[in-house]
Structures are given as C-alpha cells and as structure tokens.
Amino acid sequence: MFIHYIDLAWRSLRQTPLVTFLMILAIAIGIGVTMTTLSVYHMMSMDPIPHKSDRLFSVQLQTMDDGETWRTPDDIPYQLTYTDAINLDALPGEYLRAPMLRSGFSVHLNTVSSKPFIENTRVTGRDFFTMFDLTFLHGNAWTEEQERDAAPVVVIDEEMAKQLFGKTDVVGESVFLGERRQEIVGVTKKWRPTIKFYDLNNGSFGEAERMFAPFSHVKAYDVDTWGNTNAWKFEETRDFNDKMNSEMVWVQFWVQLDTPQQHQAYGDMLMAYMQQQQKLGRFNRESLQYSLQDVNDWMRYNDVISEDNKILVGLSFMFLAVCVANILGLLLAKFMRRAPDVGVRRALGASKRQVFYQHLVEVGVLGLLGGGLGVLFAQLGLLGVSQTYDYYAGLANMDWIMLMSAPLLAISACILAGLYPAWLVCRTTPATHLKVQ
Amino acid sequence: MLDMKAISKVYQTEMVQTHALRDFNLHVAEGEFVAVTGPSGSGKTTFLNIAGMLEPFSGGQYCLDGVDIGKLNDNARADLRNQKIGFIFQGFNLIPDLNLYENVEVPLRYRGIKSAERKRRVEECLELVGLAGRAKHLPQQLSGGQQQRVAIARALAGRPRFLLADEPTGNLDSLMARQVMELLEQINREGATIVMVTHDPELARRAPRNIQIVDGRVTDFTLYQGRSAATPLAAGG
C-alpha cells in the first residue's frame, strides 16, 4: 500500500505543478537556511578527536594569590606560567605530555629564488604528535636528546614541504627560520582539525600550524608567544628572561591520561607540586586548586560555541517554521479541493487512517523533494559563508550526518505541516463530499 | 440483510432543525431488489447514505447482515462497507486521475487483495460491463453511460452482497438506462441484494419490490411478484 500511496502522491504533485513548485521551493529555502546554520553549528560542536577526547586533558593551575579573580567560570587562568610548564614537563611518570605555545617565523630557504613567508609555528614537546594523532609521511618527531639540547630541528607538514621544495620527502633538508638554519626531521600528513581545541586563545577555528619546533627552543632562542600573555599582578619584565621567570601565563599544557588511576595519580602529583612551590614563595593561597578538563569540557569551558551561534540556529528554525506555515496553507487548500475524491475512497472502504496515511505520504514525498533542493541551497549558503568569512572556512561544510539530516528534517517539517490538512480531509463525513459531485 | 428500526436523522444548524428521516423502519431480505421512490427532499438519499454507512444516524437501530452498526467505530464501519457494500452513484464518482482499471481496483486495494487476484477481478468486471478494451482510458474520455458502467464494475469488483444505487440511470439516455438496468437485474439474479433509489416510475416497476418515502418515512410498499430470482415477502413499516 505504501508504494501505491507514493504513486498517488506523485500523480497528485504532478497534477498541480505550480502549487507543488511553490511548496517545494518554500521547504527548500527553509531547509537551506536551517541546514546552513545547523551545519556550521554541528561542525563547531563536534568532538574533534572522538576516539580519545576523554583521555586528553588541559592542565590549569591556580597560580594567583588569594583574592585575585580571572575571567573563567572557576577563576583559574586558562594558561600556565613558563616555569610551571617546564616543571610539569619534568615530572616523572609514564604518560604523554606536551607544553606548547603558538609562535611564528619568517621562513625561507636562504636562496635567491626562495621567497620568505611568515609561518605560524607550534612550539611544543615531542609527545604532541602522538597525543593529537599526527601521522608522519617521512621521518619522525625530534628525539628526546634533540629536545633536551634544543637542537635546530623542525617538523613540517606535507603542504609546506611541497610549498618549499615541491615534494614531500624532504627529511634532512634545511629551512631557515629568520637567520636560524633548521633541519627538517619529519614531514607529517596535512592535519587540520575543524576546531583548534588544543589552543583556543586566539580563535577556536583558526587553522592548525604547519610547522612544529621543540619547546626547548623557547629558552634557547628566546622564542616568544604569538598568542596571549596574561598577567594578574605587576611585575617588571625588562627582557625575555624576566618573562620566563614571571607569573605571567602564556603556555598551554596537555597531558594524556589513559586510566582513572593515572588521572588520580596525576592530580595528586599536581597538588604535591603546588605545595612544593608554595614553600618557594609561590601559590600564595589558602587552598590549592588545579583543573584537568578533557577536550569536550575544555571546549565548553572556553565557550567555543558562542551564544550568537545558538541564537542564529534558533532564528533559522523560526524561519523554517514560517515556511512550514506557508506550506500548511497551500496543503490545506490543495487537500480540501480534493475532498470529493476522498469521499469516494471512503465510500469504497478506505478508513480514516488509510486516507490520513495517504496524505501524509504525499507530504513526505514533498518533503523529500524539498529536502533535496534544500541541500543544494545549503551548499550555496555554506559556500557563501566560507567565501565571506575565512575564519569559518573549515566549518562551512556538510558532513554525511548533516547530508542525511537535511531530507529527514524536510520530511518531518512537511509532515508537521500536513498533519492538520490531512486530519481535516480524513475526518469529514464521506456523504458530504459525495453530494458535491 | 438490512434491518432499520425507528431510524431518525436530524440535520441541525444554528437556526433550524431538519428531520430528514423519522421513525424509519425497513427490512430488506437477502437477495431482494428494492426500488426506493419518493419526491425530492423526501429523504431517499439520506436513507441510502445511512444504509451505506456514509453518514451517521441520529436515533434508532440499524443492523446490516446481523451487525449492529451503531456499535461500530469508524474503522470497523469502513471495513464492513468495503467487505459487503457496493455503491453506484448518480454522478458516477469516478476518480478523475485514475484510469478505468485503477478506478475499479480501488475497493480491492483497501481490502488488501493481492495484485494477481486484483488484476483477475478488475479484468473480469470490466469485461462484464463491456469496457475491457478501455482499461487504460481516463474517465473523462468516456461517455456518461460508459462511466456509469465503470462505476458498476467498481461496485461489483469487491463482490458485494449488498448493492446501493442512487439514481444509477439519472444521467443516462434511455438506451443506456435500459442497459444499466439489465446489468443490475443480472447482478440481482446472481444473488446480490440491491436497493436502488430512483425517480423513474418505469424503472422502479422493473424492481420486484417498491417502497416510497415521503417526509422521511416509508409510506407505501408494493410487491411485484415473480420478478426477481429471489423474492422474499419482507415488509417495511
């Protein structure tokens, strides 16, 4: 019977092409607008590293004196001091860890033909690559010795390798960061998480870095951050060394803790570390506090999805509701005009339920057609978003979940619009319709 | 087959109450061919609609083939209508988007009959009314008489035991009317109970039993002995 209903629906839609076109257009526009905002929202809110997001933790320490406040919900600064980052990096234990900051350099090959360009660089520990699932095409991360000795080495990604050398297998080649010559020890596959969750300081959706350098370079070569540096008290900082020894916070720190036991042990270690630092005159506080937040908690904590985005999604659904209301009006007129046919069907043995289903299948087919066109409109909308705002380029696309959701949403919206007209047409007494024939 | 006791039907508007049927009593036995006559507005069509469960009645008791209709919900009434009743309307009431084959197939689909059986029955019924060659035609491509024959084929496709016909020849010329009437007589001879509303006294006289409705009541019935294959002497009040 379902196939028969689809056949009837198709005939009915073809019978009134203009009304059908208007209804499909209305639902397609509604779906287009809704799916555009919903897709961006979906990409913003999706887990960027689902298989291990609950094992990666951002570390925060409450370094401020009692009475000081921060703009976070729990008053703990987002970042760590350089001192704390170095000390936490040196703590014992078999777990992955990565201090990090965003810096940048003028990159060139020191040849006449090489045109220098400015490149953001992630300055971090060697565990970073394992923790955040970067894949090496050639070579590997720098060694522990190279890290300790601040060896002049870097890792770049395949895109940058092609840009510099026209090929990806460039391990052993040299690249210049300003005046410094660095050896390339590894080339990674292109890595562009939609959300830059590991460093949310300068925008959550910025592009991931294409070049990586050991964290020991910070001290060895005075590599300053290109991200945020925040201070909570006055400190005189005349040079970079002063900054490294200050209570300013400018370094991110992540650990990978695979078990609850590791999590507990690491928390205990952080408390012990803070108590030890208290004895050295830091952490002037009554109660010591730390925070370990996994990837999804960290994104919520940092308001990755702003209220504006949520409001925008809400408004797009309201627009869809307006489209649904328009379709409802058109369906009402169309179905009531067909009431005599329904009367005949009822007289010939169709139950109210069968007539109701027949009409719901028709609006379902309408929704499917509108949903298909709506996906096209949404693609245009997303193209517009990505062309207008570079910032959203990585987010303005539909994954398969959104592609599947669009027709489902369209069908649901149309069925919602069709419920009342279908109910109205099926409940009228058959004799009333037959009399008008 | 049909048993109505003290049936009443009142149409209520804000201003006025209209009694279409009042204290309406009628018994039609299995296999009868009954012609219902009466002046316009007397309640003939209302009676036919109630008999076919196309509209509810206001009071009284109506049993069809032993089933008390007043106790059935809408779905059960639709089922019963589909299983036991065939309709022939004055205005044909064919569905314009469906071709003849599909029109005749409609009641069979609602009965859940399998495709092969549906095909067999539809072809058989179209053959019976002489329109097998026009199965793919749309209703508007046929004459009035042909359309009425399609309506009869549709009514017969479900093999109903009870056929309700409302002015089945009202829109036809005399030749076509005679053909349709002969078809109904043939169906009656094969065992179907037929109740036919008509204005035409000549047509009514061809039915073995006549009843007249005036002001919503059965006022007279006449029995023409020997006309029908089955002629039980049932009477209405």
Side-chain angles (χ1 to χ4, degrees):
Chain A
M1 210 60 179
F2 181 70
I3 302 290
H4 178 59
Y5 288 159
I6 288 182
D7 178 41
L8 291 179
W10 183 242
R11 291 177 195 220
S12 166
L13 294 176
R14 280 175 52 193
Q15 207 179 20
T16 51
L18 183 64
V19 175
T20 301
F21 172 73
L22 286 175
M23 288 193 288
I24 288 175
L25 192 65
I27 192 68
I29 291 171
I31 289 295
V33 170
T34 307
M35 291 314 294
T36 302
T37 58
L38 207 57
S39 294
V40 173
Y41 182 88
H42 171 70
M43 295 303 278
M44 280 178 173
S45 60
M46 75 191 299
D47 189 338
I49 186 162
H51 61 286
K52 64 192 302 188
S53 58
D54 57 343
R55 291 184 286 135
L56 292 172
F57 295 90
S58 172
V59 181
Q60 290 171 272
L61 297 177
Q62 181 51 286
T63 53
M64 297 187 301
D65 292 349
D66 265 332
E68 298 291 340
T69 57
W70 201 259
R71 57 179 184 277
T72 52
D74 53 5
D75 272 339
I76 306 179
Y78 292 111
Q79 301 185 94
L80 302 184
T81 63
Y82 176 78
T83 307
D84 288 330
I86 287 292
N87 289 339
L88 294 189
D89 195 32
L91 286 176
E94 291 296 312
Y95 56 89
L96 300 172
R97 67 201 77 181
M100 65 178 87
L101 54 86
R102 181 172 70 95
S103 190
F105 303 96
S106 169
V107 177
H108 58 97
L109 296 179
N110 206 26
T111 59
V112 179
S113 58
S114 153
K115 192 177 168 189
F117 56 90
I118 299 294
E119 186 67 28
N120 285 324
T121 305
R122 181 110 320 236
V123 184
T124 183
R126 63 190 298 277
D127 288 349
F128 178 89
F129 303 99
T130 311
M131 289 170 72
F132 296 102
D133 278 353
L134 277 80
T135 310
F136 277 90
L137 290 176
H138 307 286
N140 219 318
W142 49 84
T143 63
E144 271 181 55
E145 289 72 30
Q146 286 171 322
E147 171 115 35
R148 190 187 57 228
D149 300 341
V153 291
V154 288
V155 167
I156 62 175
D157 82 348
E158 55 179 322
E159 190 181 82
M160 194 173 163
K162 281 181 193 159
Q163 184 182 345
L164 286 167
F165 302 100
K167 58 180 183 177
T168 60
D169 188 3
V170 295
V171 171
E173 298 279 359
S174 292
V175 63
F176 281 76
L177 309 187
E179 296 301 309
R180 273 189 293 123
R181 191 182 73 80
Q182 311 277 309
E183 182 190 341
I184 298 167
V185 293
V187 178
T188 66
K189 261 179 88 170
K190 190 174 170 181
W191 182 67
R192 299 284 184 278
T194 48
I195 304 162
K196 202 177 171 186
F197 61 95
Y198 56 90
D199 181 2
L200 297 167
N201 283 296
N202 301 101
S204 312
F205 309 109
E207 276 219 337
E209 294 82 5
R210 302 191 299 168
M211 185 161 72
F212 307 88
F215 194 72
S216 49
H217 284 196
V218 173
K219 187 176 182 184
Y221 306 117
D222 288 358
V223 176
D224 203 353
T225 179
W226 281 18
N228 293 353
T229 298
N230 303 105
W232 53 271
K233 66 176 183 181
F234 176 75
E235 291 175 287
E236 199 169 330
T237 49
R238 284 166 299 180
D239 54 27
F240 190 65
N241 204 45
D242 285 348
K243 182 176 179 179
M244 284 194 291
N245 293 322
S246 74
E247 289 297 328
M248 291 176 185
V249 288
W250 49 293
V251 183
Q252 304 99 47
F253 199 91
W254 285 81
V255 289
Q256 181 175 324
L257 305 169
D258 293 326
T259 64
Q261 291 76 17
Q262 268 193 334
H263 188 278
Q264 179 63 44
Y266 190 73
D268 294 343
M269 209 148 53
L270 288 178
M271 287 304 282
Y273 166 73
M274 287 189 288
Q275 284 161 359
Q276 178 244 327
Q277 289 293 305
Q278 258 186 333
K279 288 175 190 158
L280 299 173
R282 298 180 66 220
F283 292 86
N284 295 314
R285 308 183 53 79
E286 188 105 342
S287 66
L288 295 170
Q289 204 181 349
Y290 70 87
S291 176
L292 290 172
Q293 301 202 66
D294 70 17
V295 173
N296 289 311
D297 286 343
W298 183 241
M299 291 199 302
R300 273 190 290 275
Y301 183 80
N302 280 273
D303 290 327
V304 166
I305 304 173
S306 68
E307 279 304 309
D308 292 356
N309 290 106
K310 291 175 187 168
I311 290 169
L312 203 60
V313 171
L315 285 174
S316 70
F317 270 97
M318 285 168 72
F319 180 73
L320 180 63
V322 172
C323 295
V324 166
N326 277 297
I327 295 167
L328 192 151
L330 290 167
L331 282 174
L332 201 58
K334 182 181 166 90
F335 285 180
M336 292 320 288
R337 204 164 67 90
R338 213 196 302 150
D341 286 0
V342 172
V344 175
R345 288 182 179 278
R346 295 273 287 126
L348 297 177
S351 64
K352 282 182 185 173
R353 193 182 299 151
Q354 284 170 316
V355 171
F356 187 69
Y357 285 160
Q358 180 196 326
H359 287 83
L360 283 194
V361 169
E362 182 170 335
V363 294
V365 171
L366 195 70
L368 189 66
L369 295 171
L373 189 62
V375 168
L376 282 179
F377 285 176
Q379 294 291 355
L380 289 176
L382 290 169
L383 187 69
V385 169
S386 61
Q387 298 277 320
T388 315
Y389 306 102
D390 286 347
Y391 186 63
Y392 285 112
L395 298 166
N397 56 63
M398 288 176 99
D399 62 6
W400 66 270
I401 297 175
M402 286 291 110
L403 276 172
M404 292 287 113
S405 305
L408 286 179
L409 184 64
I411 290 170
S412 307
C414 278
I415 286 179
L416 191 69
L419 278 175
Y420 177 64
W423 175 76
L424 208 61
V425 77
C426 82
R427 69 187 286 271
T428 317
T429 313
T432 313
H433 296 311
L434 294 170
K435 280 175 187 170
V436 302
Q437 290 256 315
Chain B
M1 185 78 204
L2 176 145
D3 195 17
M4 288 182 172
K5 285 180 184 152
I7 291 289
S8 63
K9 175 68 186 177
V10 182
Y11 293 106
Q12 181 90 44
T13 63
E14 277 181 23
M15 305 292 288
V16 67
Q17 221 180 32
T18 309
H19 291 263
L21 295 180
R22 58 179 91 203
D23 194 25
F24 189 96
N25 295 285
L26 180 66
H27 178 84
V28 177
E30 180 115 33
E32 272 197 289
F33 189 157
V34 180
V36 180
T37 56
S40 290
S42 60
K44 300 189 298 296
T45 298
T46 302
F47 153 68
L48 210 63
N49 284 339
I50 290 172
M53 294 175 284
L54 296 178
E55 62 182 303
F57 47 93
S58 310
Q61 189 185 37
Y62 169 31
C63 291
L64 181 70
D65 205 17
V67 179
D68 188 347
I69 303 304
K71 290 181 179 163
L72 300 182
N73 64 20
D74 186 79
N75 283 338
R77 278 201 292 268
D79 261 357
L80 192 67
R81 192 159 57 227
N82 181 257
Q83 297 286 335
K84 297 197 171 168
I85 301 177
F87 285 98
I88 303 168
F89 306 99
Q90 180 180 7
F92 320 136
N93 279 313
L94 299 175
I95 299 173
D97 319 335
L98 306 183
N99 63 33
L100 304 195
Y101 182 97
E102 291 162 335
N103 261 290
V104 177
E105 195 184 24
V106 170
L108 305 183
R109 278 192 179 274
Y110 289 121
R111 201 184 284 189
I113 292 173
K114 296 244 181 290
S115 169
E117 173 66 7
R118 283 204 309 267
K119 185 169 186 291
R120 201 179 62 74
R121 285 208 204 175
V122 171
E123 286 172 355
E124 184 184 295
C125 291
L126 283 175
E127 188 71 48
L128 182 72
V129 298
L131 289 169
R134 305 229 176 170
K136 298 290 174 195
H137 284 57
L138 290 170
Q140 57 268 31
Q141 294 169 321
L142 303 181
S143 70
Q146 287 170 324
Q147 288 191 46
Q148 191 58 300
R149 277 149 62 192
V150 177
I152 292 171
R154 184 178 63 187
L156 298 179
R159 293 183 183 153
R161 291 172 56 204
F162 189 32
L163 202 61
L164 295 170
D166 188 4
E167 303 278 8
T169 59
N171 287 340
L172 307 179
D173 61 39
S174 57
L175 178 66
M176 283 292 176
R178 204 162 45 245
Q179 283 177 2
V180 166
M181 197 58 202
E182 281 164 6
L183 200 54
L184 290 178
E185 285 166 348
Q186 182 192 332
I187 294 160
N188 176 242
R189 278 195 298 276
E190 287 166 8
T193 309
I194 298 179
V195 172
M196 176 183 71
V197 166
T198 181
H199 269 110
D200 186 342
E202 193 184 331
L203 216 58
R205 271 198 297 277
R206 290 184 63 159
R209 181 181 166 204
N210 277 198
I211 64 166
Q212 190 174 35
I213 299 176
V214 177
D215 290 339
R217 285 193 176 93
V218 177
T219 57
D220 186 22
F221 69 91
T222 312
L223 204 58
Y224 298 94
Q225 295 282 0
R227 285 271 185 165
S228 172
T231 53
L233 297 175

